[in-house]
Amino acid sequence: MAGAARGSQDLLNGPISRTLLLFALPTLGSNVLQSLNGSVNAIWIGRFLGEDAIAATANANIIMFLMFAAVFGFGMAATVLIGQSFGRGDLDGARRAMGTAMGLFLPLSVLVGLAGWTFSPNILKALATPGEAFELAHDYLRLIFLSTPASFLMVLMMMGLRGSGDSMTPLWFMGLSVVLDIILNPVLILGLGPAPAMGIAGSAMATVIAGYVSLIGIIIYVYVRDLPLRLKGRELGYLRPDPALLRSIVLKGFPMGLQMVVISSAAMAMVGLVNREGLLATAAYGVTQQLWTYVQMPAMAVGAAVSAMAAQNIGAGRWDRVARITRTGIFYNIVMTGALVVLLTLVDRAALGLFLGTESPAIPVAAHIHLLGGWSFVFFGVSLVLFGTMRANGAVIAPLIILFLSMYPIRLGFVYFAYPVLGADALWLSFPLGSLASTACAIWVYRRGGWRKAKMIEAPDPEECREAVLAESEPAGRLNPTG
């Protein structure tokens, strides 16, 4: 498999700076579209159905985010296996990895969907969902769980395609999903035209329809264009998970997923601390989070691009390029995230006013929060790039430990000890302190180089390989044509 596979970008040859940028930009576009989709849907629900409905979707979305955080790692592990296989020129290996991941995700997503549909009232009670929002949240969450198979498989396919070097196809089908969701939301909420008026359930149904249409669309596209990861004929047998690949996906993917759980749980703990400061601080922090969602996107896109590109080059044994890819990713993160932080700092009140109105008393508080904490994302982005490179070789424990230490004992510990002196500013200053600690630890681990000895999958035992070859030479082991 020389050069880039059909439909994929060549990540092994040519100038690293240009290749990495062109590969990262579509991923950034996908992230922006996904966030815009959530923002627009929140506007539809808030304008048409009111605050109770917004509270209901907030409770439901927390549950879905935690679920996706848990399975994200499995998808990322499969992406790295696919990327390394492409780097080695092993197209069959890439298809085996994709088939094993699909064989894992499909039954898992169906089980999660059925469990969510059945136990959604219990889940909402465990979250102490407010009584006035409970029924709305129940109606919304049960339908959202129906979209789980489409959502899980769509995420896997997009990550797998990026692992093969194709970041444009995921962008197009993320765009299709977003457009459908945005259009269908008011139609199904209000019952426009022949559609029934479903209220908050209509918003969930819009997500369900958009998810399945996009999944079917991307599958058809992959087969019509004959993209590298399609499975045909005997390759459909790869959907029965290969034990060695499955073990690698689970053992490496679980710590990757835990990284997302650590980040999300620390974020929820921070919300609880901010809530104690009163309504004004909570509103200010909430609107600042809206800005920070977009501030994080360049680093997330660059980190994902570095991981996919490094995985292919590691598979090809191009370690000289891996180091240059990492340096280039750090440079792009500093430039892109830094520019965005500076821009939003200069126009912070106008940007924050889009959410609360320029006369809101929370605007000065939000601007203060951003001034103290917003610049931390430049350093956190450096950590994400370094973690992306380590992850590309199967080193997943060190990033998990670093994230846990920076989020809990360092960030929340600082709040505990500094709050009596600094007051609420201890909350906002904990962000740069945690990010600086995470970056320092990531640089130390990266420079020590132990992560280079990690492996995504252990080499097969020579004796097992010999026995397998002998078995295939026996009559019972041969594949015989029929008919």
Side-chain angles (χ1 to χ4, degrees):
M1 187 170 55
R6 182 177 181 181
S8 304
Q9 189 173 343
D10 186 355
L11 305 183
L12 298 174
N13 303 291
I16 287 175
S17 297
R18 181 176 181 275
T19 302
L20 182 61
L21 182 62
L22 292 178
F23 188 69
L25 286 177
T27 304
L28 176 59
S30 295
N31 292 343
V32 171
L33 283 173
Q34 198 164 20
S35 293
L36 283 175
N37 185 36
S39 299
V40 172
N41 287 353
I43 291 172
W44 289 135
I45 292 171
R47 293 290 179 89
F48 295 147
L49 301 174
E51 294 177 354
D52 288 350
I54 285 289
T57 58
N59 277 267
N61 288 337
I62 288 173
I63 297 165
M64 298 307 295
F65 180 80
L66 286 173
M67 281 201 321
F68 275 100
V71 302
F72 167 84
F74 301 139
M76 182 54 68
T79 300
V80 172
L81 284 171
I82 290 167
Q84 290 192 3
S85 296
F86 267 87
R88 291 191 299 270
D90 182 8
L91 181 56
D92 189 67
R95 289 174 178 165
R96 284 179 183 273
M98 189 65 181
T100 292
M102 292 286 287
L104 170 66
F105 268 57
L106 183 57
L108 179 64
S109 63
V110 171
L111 286 174
V112 169
L114 290 174
W117 174 272
T118 304
F119 297 109
S120 57
N122 309 77
I123 297 170
L124 292 170
K125 287 176 183 176
L127 279 177
T129 304
E132 56 271 25
F134 189 90
E135 286 303 319
L136 291 172
H138 180 231
D139 292 343
Y140 183 83
L141 185 58
R142 288 188 80 185
L143 280 176
I144 284 293
F145 269 112
L146 289 182
S147 70
T148 303
S151 300
F152 278 22
L153 293 176
M154 188 71 174
V155 167
L156 175 62
M157 292 199 68
M158 290 195 297
M159 294 175 76
L161 286 166
R162 291 185 185 120
S164 74
D166 180 2
S167 59
M168 285 303 300
T169 299
L171 174 62
W172 298 133
F173 286 93
M174 175 58 72
L176 172 63
S177 177
V178 168
V179 169
L180 285 174
D181 203 353
I182 290 174
I183 291 174
L184 289 174
N185 252 269
V187 172
L188 295 176
I189 289 173
L190 299 175
L192 302 180
M198 300 176 65
I200 194 170
S203 179
M205 183 57 72
T207 300
V208 173
I209 294 172
Y212 281 100
V213 170
S214 300
L215 175 64
I216 293 169
I218 198 170
I219 291 173
I220 292 173
Y221 182 84
V222 165
Y223 278 87
V224 168
R225 293 291 306 276
D226 195 29
L227 297 188
L229 294 181
R230 93 293 178 273
L231 303 177
K232 290 183 178 179
R234 68 172 183 83
E235 295 168 345
L236 292 172
Y238 296 164
L239 293 172
R240 184 172 62 251
D242 176 275
L245 291 172
L246 183 61
R247 184 165 54 249
S248 179
I249 288 173
V250 172
L251 292 180
K252 298 294 185 179
F254 185 68
M256 293 184 196
L258 278 182
Q259 292 176 33
M260 299 293 292
V261 173
V262 166
I263 293 172
S264 59
S265 61
M268 287 192 288
M270 185 62 69
V271 168
L273 293 172
V274 173
N275 285 341
R276 298 178 184 180
E277 299 299 311
L279 182 61
L280 192 65
T282 300
Y285 182 68
V287 75
T288 305
Q289 288 293 302
Q290 289 285 341
L291 290 189
W292 286 356
T293 295
Y294 293 95
V295 170
Q296 297 175 71
M297 286 183 183
M300 294 175 67
V302 171
V306 165
S307 187
M309 195 168 175
Q312 286 204 18
N313 282 269
I314 288 171
R318 304 286 300 277
W319 282 97
D320 59 316
R321 282 176 61 88
V322 172
R324 288 158 55 202
I325 289 165
T326 305
R327 291 194 298 269
T328 303
I330 291 173
F331 171 77
Y332 278 141
N333 165 72
I334 293 173
V335 170
M336 295 167 71
T337 306
L340 195 52
V341 169
V342 170
L343 175 63
L344 288 176
T345 302
L346 293 174
V347 299
D348 53 359
R349 292 176 184 260
L352 293 164
L354 294 173
F355 299 95
L356 289 175
T358 54
E359 302 303 317
S360 170
I363 292 295
V365 180
H368 179 68
I369 293 171
H370 175 67
L371 184 65
L372 292 183
W375 58 275
S376 68
F377 290 101
V378 176
F379 292 94
F380 189 63
V382 174
S383 301
L384 290 183
V385 171
L386 294 173
F387 291 161
T389 301
M390 296 180 211
R391 187 173 61 217
N393 199 40
V396 295
I397 300 300
L400 174 61
I401 294 173
I402 291 171
L403 276 175
F404 178 81
L405 292 175
S406 64
M407 292 287 175
Y408 280 96
I410 293 176
R411 180 186 287 183
L412 297 181
F414 174 79
V415 172
Y416 178 80
F417 289 106
Y419 188 84
V421 178
L422 300 176
D425 281 354
L427 296 169
W428 326 133
L429 289 172
S430 71
F431 283 92
L433 180 65
S435 295
L436 286 169
S438 174
T439 302
C441 292
I443 291 172
W444 181 74
V445 171
Y446 179 83
R447 290 178 65 86
R448 280 177 60 88
W451 61 273
R452 292 179 175 85
K453 300 175 184 178
K455 292 186 182 299
M456 271 303 295
I457 187 168
E458 294 297 328
D461 182 77
E463 182 62 23
E464 290 181 0
C465 292
R466 188 182 69 83
E467 291 176 358
V469 170
L470 290 174
E472 288 182 0
S473 70
E474 297 297 325
R478 294 196 195 107
L479 289 176
N480 297 311
T482 58

